[in-house]
Amino acid sequence: MAEFGQVLLYLIIALVVIVGIVAVIRAVRIVPQSVALVVERLGRYSKTLDPGLHVLVPFVDRVRAGVDLREQVVSFPPQPVITSDNLVVEIDTVIYFQVTDAKSAVYEIANYITAIEQLTVTTLRNVIGSMDLEQTLTSRDQINGQLRGVLDEATGRWGIRVNRVELKSIEPPPSIQGAMEQQMRAERDRRAAILTAEGIKQSAILTAEGEKQSAILTAEGAAQSQILRAEGESRAILQVFDAIHQGDADSKLLAYQYLQMLPKIAQGTSNTTWVIPTEFTAALGSIAQGFGGTPGTPGIPTPPGGGSPSDGPRPTAAPVLDKPLLQDPSEALAEAQRQAEAAVADATSAGTRSGEPFDPSHERGQRPAGGTTPPPPVPPAPPAPPAG
């Protein structure tokens, strides 16, 4: 009997020790950072434990729930939503929220995660239902703003603040995706064609402007060239005209010019007939007469009154011929060339000394071969006074 009493005593002592240990464990609570504990006393809300060390009343206070106060991210599976143009699109959403009141999050809503998901789906269907597909694809910011406003207002009484709502993806039907790709391709082709046309237009405009400026500059250059050429020709004509008048040109000079043109006329390989103008025969006669030719020879006119060539220049008229003097063009050309060479030699020798004082030796060089230099002319004697 004594041994049974000792065993029972030991059991009671052990039970008391165990109950004490359990009471101490349940009474002392250490709350980590960013966590809030909701404590109930005898089944009613008592207090919310902040991070740190806390002591509870054993077997009276109990922890109802622990709430994470950090911002949380929840991604919901794709939800089918119908747009205003009767197209079904799959939309994924991502919610960023944070618990601001642990008591409300525990007592105001049974499962705030599920509540936020269902509220997001219904709000999303209401917002997307008023938009067509094009607006849905291009109005993400507007949809995010509307969702955040509705969710933040509804979850405020749950002790939850919705920070951000993002549409992760919007997937239209495959057939609509193919049509959209074709539309985008056509739009890009249209833009490329417009840009190409604009480039061609700008290139044509610049080319036309360049050609216009080039034509203007070319015309101005041609005008200036013609003006300068006309001024040069006018000055040359004036100088030649002055030189002719100052030199007192006579028929010899004209005949000399005729002779210079004869080789050029005869250079053509296709010349089979050569017509000699009558003025040319008169010019040859003038040259021969001026350089000592004998009057009466063919092509040399005879001065009226039987005077000699040395008596001074007299006006002569070109002989009128019934037919050409040279019947054969080749013979006429050869004879003209011989006479031209002789006339050029005589004219050159006489012209180089024409500006010097009179010298009988120079005059002898202008006479035909074998000619004699006539004595200088003797001035006539003055008339005798009348007898009175």
Side-chain angles (χ1 to χ4, degrees):
M1 192 68 183
E3 293 179 355
F4 178 75
Q6 290 181 353
V7 172
L8 183 60
L9 179 62
Y10 291 152
L11 290 176
I12 293 173
I13 293 173
L15 182 61
V16 171
V17 172
I18 293 174
V19 170
I21 293 174
V22 172
V24 171
I25 293 174
R26 292 175 64 90
V28 179
R29 284 299 180 101
I30 298 175
V31 181
Q33 185 67 33
S34 301
V35 175
L37 299 180
V38 178
V39 178
E40 293 180 349
R41 178 169 292 178
L42 301 177
R44 297 183 63 181
Y45 171 76
S46 175
K47 58 183 176 181
T48 301
L49 300 182
D50 297 328
L53 178 63
H54 298 273
V55 178
L56 302 178
V57 178
F59 306 104
V60 176
D61 296 337
R62 76 181 183 91
V63 177
R64 168 67 184 272
V67 179
D68 192 351
L69 300 179
R70 294 174 298 177
E71 185 175 2
Q72 302 180 42
V73 180
V74 179
S75 177
F76 301 133
Q79 300 294 328
V81 180
I82 301 176
T83 61
S84 62
D85 49 356
N86 298 324
L87 293 176
V88 179
V89 295
E90 300 287 337
I91 300 180
D92 295 347
T93 56
V94 179
I95 306 296
Y96 297 82
F97 68 94
Q98 184 178 10
V99 178
T100 58
D101 188 358
K103 176 185 176 182
S104 299
V106 173
Y107 293 104
E108 297 295 334
I109 188 71
N111 189 344
Y112 57 83
I113 298 295
T114 304
I116 292 175
E117 178 182 1
Q118 297 301 321
L119 182 60
T120 301
V121 171
T122 56
T123 306
L124 187 62
R125 287 177 178 175
N126 293 332
V127 174
I128 299 300
S130 62
M131 298 181 179
D132 57 10
L133 180 61
E134 188 69 22
Q135 292 177 346
T136 302
L137 296 175
T138 58
S139 304
R140 288 175 176 261
D141 294 338
Q142 181 181 355
I143 297 173
N144 295 338
Q146 293 182 8
L147 285 175
R148 183 180 179 278
V150 173
L151 291 175
D152 197 16
E153 182 181 358
T155 59
R157 59 188 180 88
W158 300 341
I160 297 173
R161 182 177 69 246
V162 177
N163 297 326
R164 296 183 63 183
V165 179
E166 295 291 339
L167 299 182
K168 187 166 60 175
S169 65
I170 301 176
E171 298 292 337
S175 59
I176 301 300
Q177 291 183 8
M180 292 173 59
E181 291 178 359
Q182 294 179 0
Q183 180 182 1
M184 292 300 298
R185 189 179 300 110
E187 180 67 21
R188 293 184 182 276
D189 293 341
R190 184 183 68 85
R191 293 179 181 178
I194 291 174
L195 293 177
T196 303
E198 288 290 338
I200 295 174
K201 175 183 176 182
Q202 293 295 332
S203 176
I205 291 174
L206 294 178
T207 302
E209 288 290 337
E211 292 178 353
K212 174 184 176 182
Q213 295 294 333
S214 176
I216 292 174
L217 294 178
T218 302
E220 291 180 355
Q224 294 293 335
S225 175
Q226 292 179 0
I227 291 173
L228 295 177
R229 188 180 297 109
E231 291 180 355
E233 291 178 355
S234 64
R235 292 181 182 179
I237 292 173
L238 291 177
Q239 291 181 358
V240 171
F241 186 77
D242 293 340
I244 291 174
H245 280 274
Q246 291 178 3
D248 194 12
D250 54 4
S251 59
K252 298 179 181 179
L253 179 60
L254 299 178
Y256 178 70
Q257 294 295 329
Y258 269 115
L259 294 175
Q260 285 185 335
M261 290 301 298
L262 286 177
K264 296 181 180 180
I265 296 175
Q267 285 177 358
T269 57
S270 61
N271 290 335
T272 57
T273 303
W274 190 37
V275 180
I276 301 177
T278 56
E279 291 83 356
F280 177 68
T281 58
L284 290 178
S286 299
I287 292 174
Q289 182 180 0
F291 292 155
T294 304
T297 59
I300 302 177
T302 302
S308 62
S310 61
D311 293 340
R314 291 183 178 89
T316 59
V320 178
L321 302 177
D322 296 334
K323 60 180 180 178
L325 297 178
L326 299 178
Q327 298 297 330
D328 190 357
S330 59
E331 294 180 0
L333 179 60
E335 181 65 24
Q337 289 180 350
R338 288 193 298 270
Q339 294 180 6
E341 291 176 358
V344 167
D346 293 340
T348 302
S349 176
T352 54
R353 303 176 180 275
S354 61
E356 298 181 1
F358 176 77
D359 189 355
S361 62
H362 296 168
E363 186 179 2
R364 283 196 304 271
Q366 300 177 10
R367 292 287 182 177
T372 58
T373 303
V378 178

